[in-house]
Amino acid sequence: MHRTPSADKDGTNKDQSTPASTASGATAPKGEILNPHGSEHDQLRLLRDRLAAQSGVVTHLGRTLLAAGASAYLVKFSMARLANAVGIEAQHSQVTFSEIVTSVYAHGTFRTESHEQRAFGTNAARLDDLRLFVRSLKPGLLVEDAQQRIDEIIHRKPPYPAVINCLASGVACAGFCFLNRGGLVECSVVAIAALCGQILRRAMLKRHANHFGVWMLCGLLASLIYMGISQALLLSGLLSVGHPQGIISAVLFLVPGFPLVTAILDLVRMDFLAGISRMTYVLMLVISAGISVWMVATIFQWHIDPPAAFPVAGIALYLLQFICSMVASFGFAVLFSIRPHVAICAALVAGFANVGRLFLVAQGMLPQAAVGLAALTIGIVAHFISRLSGFRFSRTSLTVPAVVIMIPGVPLYAAITHLSNGDIPQASAALVQVFFVILSIGVGLAISRMLTDPDWRIDRDTAQPQMLEKTGWNDGNRRFQMR
């Protein structure tokens, strides 16, 4: 039975923390005295101090996962298992995009902590390392050992140096540009503009600048560079016509694909606080970058709608679409810090799925139906690849780079520009297209998860360590997949 906190004379609670485990890492059984020669007050203080350490390491894991871009489900799932491993009897948490509130219970008392998480980003390599750490947990783990292992993961070097990360941005946007019917000139200039924009973004984020300001300035820089190079080539006579359509492809590295997919998965799991707040963050970033494109396009009177047809046709078109899909997917995987071997698998999946989607659209299928089918295929294939790897490859790392190239970034930014110019019919048509395509991606991924993962078919409470232990989460069986 839990002890009700009583208040001191000054109004503060006497009992606001859960007694944690003893120095050996396991909680003392009920009724056992930690120090038979100590007073009851000393015994309670030791329990409280140990519980503070247990609660602290559980919250530390949750904050690290959240900072790396994990979904609310993964954060709560992992915190519950670590709480069980270090000896906490019960643990409940509430996770949003920027906050974690967790309560832990043991031996009739409790401790509640609230933390604000201001580090927003994506680090898929860290997510995979933390996922493997949680998968290896067993009851009786020392708090100090858990803290040390989490810190070791945090301090590991990123899988790519800064130069590769910036080059990947340019390459990914160039591939995206061709998929948006751009030609050789557009793709080349887009690569340069996106490279410069990513360099600025890395420099500003390193100094903890406001994300909305960062996205606006990087979008402005990339747009201006694209426009400047295109105009210079036109004035020099190297080009006979301008190529304004690629200006949106130059800022597609700013599309927050990982948070967008994670927000969709949060909403499907009915983690509405996390899903809605994360989706709001995504929309604000897109609007910030879209304003930059609108400013440049308006000042220089450039039209931003993509060409109606691809520059090539036939077998060559499908071959180039396959190559550019792989290139764009791999480039975004590098931006998300996904390790090379996982990124290559994701790129191959993206190449086949995206070419199939484009083929179906060319044959008359509705774009949203083709996208939903492609997302469903990607999710199922990612499950089998993850399973063949012994679940060392997470489904998220395999899925997000493959589906992010299907997010309609060009219609999205074009809609913002048309809306700003007062062209309501064109803006409405583009926004409706964007809405249904993104909705189809979410539906396809959700169905694939429910088909392949029993934890998505049955709505379990992730905050019950006792129940989770009964499912065999720590014995390495097939039910513990945590993808």
Side-chain angles (χ1 to χ4, degrees), residues 57-58 60-62 64-65 70 73-85 126-139 141 146 149-150 153 156 391 462 468 472-476 480-483:
V57 73
V58 170
H60 182 45
L61 173 63
T64 304
L65 284 166
Y73 169 69
L74 179 58
V75 174
K76 293 190 286 188
F77 190 97
S78 303
M79 292 173 66
R81 280 160 173 75
L82 181 57
N84 185 289
R126 183 172 296 171
L127 287 179
D128 286 347
D129 291 341
L130 291 170
R131 181 182 60 86
L132 293 176
F133 161 67
V134 173
R135 187 183 177 196
S136 67
L137 291 175
K138 295 181 180 180
L141 177 67
R149 291 179 65 183
I150 295 172
I153 293 173
R156 288 175 185 171
F391 300 110
T462 57
L468 295 171
W473 63 269
N474 60 352
D475 61 6
F480 181 78
Q481 299 173 1
M482 189 185 162
R483 295 174 292 271

Side-chain angles (χ1 to χ4, degrees), residues 178 310-322 355 359 362-363:
F178 178 80
F310 284 96
V312 295
I315 300 300
L317 173 61
Y318 292 112
L319 180 60
L320 288 174
Q321 285 177 339
F322 177 77
V355 170
F359 174 79
Q363 299 305 310

Side-chain angles (χ1 to χ4, degrees), residues 297-381:
T298 301
I299 291 173
F300 295 95
Q301 298 298 310
W302 279 25
H303 64 91
I304 46 114
D305 294 310
F310 284 96
V312 295
I315 300 300
L317 173 61
Y318 292 112
L319 180 60
L320 288 174
Q321 285 177 339
F322 177 77
I323 295 173
C324 289
S325 296
M326 287 186 57
V327 167
S329 178
F330 186 85
F332 278 103
V334 173
L335 290 180
F336 300 148
S337 296
I338 296 174
R339 290 193 170 88
H341 50 285
V342 185
I344 292 173
C345 293
L348 288 171
V349 174
F352 287 106
N354 198 45
V355 170
R357 173 185 71 91
L358 294 173
F359 174 79
L360 292 175
V361 172
Q363 299 305 310
M365 180 179 284
L366 289 174
Q368 54 266 33
V371 166
L373 184 60
L376 173 62
T377 303
I378 289 171
I380 293 175
V381 173

Side-chain angles (χ1 to χ4, degrees), residues 220-244:
L220 186 62
L221 176 64
S223 301
L224 288 174
I225 289 177
Y226 180 88
M227 180 210 64
I229 295 177
S230 297
Q231 288 291 84
L233 292 174
L234 185 62
L235 293 175
S236 65
L238 297 176
L239 293 178
S240 58
V241 294
H243 296 268

Side-chain angles (χ1 to χ4, degrees), residues 66 70-77 95-96 262 266 271 274-275 278 462:
L66 200 60
S71 65
Y73 169 69
L74 179 58
V75 174
K76 293 190 286 188
F77 190 97
V95 179
T96 69
T262 306
D266 279 337
D271 289 315
R278 200 184 300 267
T462 57

Side-chain angles (χ1 to χ4, degrees), residues 79-418:
M79 292 173 66
R81 280 160 173 75
L82 181 57
N84 185 289
V86 298
I88 293 174
E89 294 178 4
Q91 184 263 348
H92 302 270
S93 57
Q94 178 176 295
V95 179
T96 69
F97 177 58
S98 59
E99 293 180 336
I100 292 179
V101 178
T102 181
S103 297
V104 292
Y105 301 81
H107 306 303
T109 186
F110 68 92
R111 177 182 176 85
T112 297
E113 293 188 19
S114 175
H115 294 274
E116 183 179 20
Q117 176 59 50
R118 301 301 301 177
F120 308 122
T122 301
N123 191 331
R126 183 172 296 171
L127 287 179
D128 286 347
D129 291 341
L130 291 170
R131 181 182 60 86
L132 293 176
F133 161 67
V134 173
R135 187 183 177 196
S136 67
L137 291 175
K138 295 181 180 180
L141 177 67
L142 285 169
V143 171
E144 293 79 5
D145 289 343
Q147 182 71 44
Q148 181 181 4
R149 291 179 65 183
I150 295 172
D151 290 340
E152 287 176 355
I153 293 173
I154 292 174
H155 292 101
R156 288 175 185 171
K157 292 183 178 180
Y160 306 98
V163 174
I164 300 299
N165 181 272
C166 295
L167 288 174
S169 174
V171 171
C173 288
F176 231 141
C177 183
F178 178 80
L179 296 175
N180 292 319
R181 303 184 181 90
L184 178 61
V185 174
E186 288 99 327
C187 293
S188 302
V189 181
V190 160
I192 298 173
L195 168 65
C196 297
Q198 177 65 6
I199 292 173
L200 177 62
R201 181 168 69 166
R202 285 184 60 91
M204 295 184 71
L205 290 181
K206 189 175 181 180
R207 291 165 175 78
H208 307 288
N210 182 280
H211 281 210
F212 306 120
V214 171
W215 259 245
M216 188 176 295
L217 289 177
C218 292
L220 186 62
L221 176 64
S223 301
L224 288 174
I225 289 177
Y226 180 88
M227 180 210 64
I229 295 177
S230 297
Q231 288 291 84
L233 292 174
L234 185 62
L235 293 175
S236 65
L238 297 176
L239 293 178
S240 58
V241 294
H243 296 268
Q245 302 92 343
I247 190 172
I248 293 183
S249 296
V251 301
L252 289 181
F253 70 98
L254 296 174
V255 173
F258 206 99
L260 176 59
V261 175
T262 306
I264 293 172
L265 296 178
D266 279 337
L267 292 174
V268 172
R269 289 284 310 184
M270 293 186 290
D271 289 315
F272 295 120
L273 285 176
I276 293 174
S277 59
R278 200 184 300 267
M279 189 64 76
T280 303
Y281 170 77
V282 169
L283 291 176
M284 291 297 293
L285 293 185
V286 170
I287 291 173
S288 297
I291 289 174
S292 301
V293 176
W294 167 75
M295 290 172 58
V296 175
T298 301
I299 291 173
F300 295 95
Q301 298 298 310
W302 279 25
H303 64 91
I304 46 114
D305 294 310
F310 284 96
V312 295
I315 300 300
L317 173 61
Y318 292 112
L319 180 60
L320 288 174
Q321 285 177 339
F322 177 77
I323 295 173
C324 289
S325 296
M326 287 186 57
V327 167
S329 178
F330 186 85
F332 278 103
V334 173
L335 290 180
F336 300 148
S337 296
I338 296 174
R339 290 193 170 88
H341 50 285
V342 185
I344 292 173
C345 293
L348 288 171
V349 174
F352 287 106
N354 198 45
V355 170
R357 173 185 71 91
L358 294 173
F359 174 79
L360 292 175
V361 172
Q363 299 305 310
M365 180 179 284
L366 289 174
Q368 54 266 33
V371 166
L373 184 60
L376 173 62
T377 303
I378 289 171
I380 293 175
V381 173
H383 164 75
F384 286 107
I385 294 176
S386 178
R387 186 162 187 159
L388 288 174
S389 70
F391 300 110
R392 291 183 297 109
F393 298 177
S394 70
R395 284 185 55 166
T396 302
S397 296
L398 290 165
T399 301
V400 175
V403 301
V404 74
I405 63 173
M406 298 188 296
I407 295 173
V410 169
L412 181 58
Y413 286 122
I416 295 174
T417 303
H418 289 312

